[in-house]
């Protein structure tokens, strides 16, 4: 083999490394669960109503939020409707579910959306909300919770509109 036939591999051109931004995820974490939640149509309608009334900011509290699927979906839906300031608070008593909700919230990087998930007693947290009631309170409350007057009072006083799973239509409160 001649010297001319040998190739110096160190002299070969290399492809420059191009850093690429991670692809934006189009799916909303938990969005399938949120869309199938029986409260979702009322949540979407209430957000559209607030936006239609000219509101640019919205505050949503989700009592008994679980892993936060519905609250996260509502926040992103509010942003898509054109809200420019969205404050969301999830409340639950399960450390595992709050951990999952916080992890999902950490992936939401929209500066218009503020998310907090608190591991606390639902009634105490809702009573603290009474000073500055939310626009919308989501409640997963069980039928047994609906028999507890202190739970009902705390939920109703925490926001302008309450949307719950197990409620007759007359129980939905709008003030």
């Amino acid at each position: 083999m001649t010297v001319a036939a040998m190739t110096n591999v160190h002299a070969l051109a290399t492809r420059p490394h191009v850093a690429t931004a991670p692809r934006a995820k189009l799916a909303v974490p938990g969005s399938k669960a949120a869309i199938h939640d029986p409260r979702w149509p009322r949540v979407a309608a209430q957000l559209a109503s607030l936006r239609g009334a000219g509101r640019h900011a919205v505050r949503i509290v989700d009592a008994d939020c679980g892993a936060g699927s519905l609250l996260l979906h509502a926040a992103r839906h509010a942003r898509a409707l054109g809200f420019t300031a969205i404050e969301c608070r999830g409340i639950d008593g399960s450390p595992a579910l709050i951990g999952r909700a916080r992890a999902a919230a950490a992936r939401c990087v929209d500066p218009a959306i503020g998310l907090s998930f608190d591991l606390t007693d639902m009634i105490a947290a809702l009573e603290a909300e009474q000073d500055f009631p939310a626009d919308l309170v989501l409640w997963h409350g069980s039928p047994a919770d609906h028999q507890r007057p202190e739970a009902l009072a705390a939920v109703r006083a925490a926001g302008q509109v309450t949307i719950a799973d197990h409620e007759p239509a007359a129980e939905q409160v709008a003030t």
Side-chain angles (χ1 to χ4, degrees), residues 11 23 27 34 48 50 52 87 128 139 170:
R23 290 178 123 178
L50 288 168
E87 181 184 341
W139 187 30

Side-chain angles (χ1 to χ4, degrees), residues 37-64:
D37 188 296
R39 298 168 291 173
W40 176 247
R42 290 178 286 161
V43 171
Q46 185 62 33
L47 289 170
S49 175
L50 288 168
R51 188 66 185 109
R55 294 281 304 275
H56 295 281
V58 66
R59 188 160 176 268
I60 308 167
V61 173
D62 189 350
D64 199 18

Side-chain angles (χ1 to χ4, degrees), residues 4 11 24 28 36 40 44 54 56-57 67 69 82 93 95 110 117 126 133 137 144-145 147 152 166 170-171 173:
V28 176
H36 295 293
W40 176 247
H56 295 281
S69 302
D110 190 327
F117 288 93
L126 291 174
V137 175
D145 288 333
Q147 303 305 315
L152 287 172
H166 308 284
E171 227 178 342
V173 178

Side-chain angles (χ1 to χ4, degrees), residues 12-136:
L12 293 176
T14 59
R15 280 190 291 165
H17 176 71
V18 177
T20 58
R23 290 178 123 178
K25 292 183 180 178
L26 297 177
V28 176
S31 62
K32 287 181 184 176
I35 290 170
H36 295 293
D37 188 296
R39 298 168 291 173
W40 176 247
R42 290 178 286 161
V43 171
Q46 185 62 33
L47 289 170
S49 175
L50 288 168
R51 188 66 185 109
R55 294 281 304 275
H56 295 281
V58 66
R59 188 160 176 268
I60 308 167
V61 173
D62 189 350
D64 199 18
C65 68
S69 302
L70 183 61
L71 186 58
L72 289 164
H73 192 68
R76 290 194 169 116
H77 184 72
R79 185 66 171 129
L81 289 173
F83 284 93
T84 56
I86 302 138
E87 181 184 341
C88 299
R89 180 182 186 200
I91 303 163
D92 203 286
S94 169
L97 292 174
I98 287 294
R100 288 178 55 198
R102 287 175 178 166
R107 292 189 297 270
C108 181
V109 293
D110 190 327
I113 300 174
L115 296 162
S116 68
F117 288 93
D118 301 322
L119 177 63
T120 188
D121 176 67
M122 180 189 71
I123 293 174
L126 291 174
E127 286 173 347
E129 292 289 332
Q130 294 176 18
D131 293 337
F132 183 58
D135 296 299
L136 185 58

